[in-house]
Amino acid sequence: MSIIPKPESIKCDRNDVAVLIVEDSWNVAQSLRSIVEKAGALPLGPVPTVREALKIVEARPVSLVLVDMNLRDGFADPLVDALIPRSIPYIIITAYEALPTNADREALARLNKPLDHDLIETYIRRFTGRRAQEATT
């Protein structure tokens, strides 16, 4: 029998899990930042463009990416295409009912706007818990 901790019981070192927020709406980006902080992870960004997100991904370790589908400089596909070979997990957060591309093909999840704060926090906590367990084994 395996024991799965409840999301609220998972704690992570803020330096261990860095979550990049890629969102071009200021209000949504700030909400995501608050959710990441509440989940106990280190928020990176937010950044509103694929170009800025790629700079961060190339410059420092990123544990998880929360990415909006439609950004200031276009769809998020080039970012997703850079994350997959680096094995950086991502969650698509979008207002699209049906995505215009297949950017969610390897996503941990695809979540629709408006934001469900509790659901996003749960995903982050589950992911951070999994990362913490991997680090100890």
Side-chain angles (χ1 to χ4, degrees), residues 43-122:
L44 302 176
V47 296
T49 65
V50 169
R51 195 177 92 206
E52 291 174 77
L54 287 171
K55 285 181 185 178
I56 292 173
V57 167
E58 292 168 0
R60 64 162 297 154
V62 175
S63 306
L64 175 67
V65 178
L66 302 177
V67 60
D68 182 22
M69 187 62 222
N70 194 8
L71 300 164
R72 283 191 192 161
D73 57 353
F75 289 130
D77 296 77
L79 174 59
V80 167
D81 291 341
L83 298 175
I84 292 170
R86 289 178 169 89
S87 298
I88 299 173
Y90 63 99
I91 296 173
I92 297 280
I93 298 174
T94 185
Y96 286 104
E97 190 63 34
L99 289 183
T101 73
N102 67 344
D104 63 341
R105 65 191 175 275
E106 294 191 36
L108 291 178
R110 180 177 159 265
L111 305 175
N112 288 336
K113 294 177 183 176
L115 299 178
D116 180 333
H117 292 231
D118 293 333
L119 180 61
I120 295 169
E121 182 182 351
T122 298

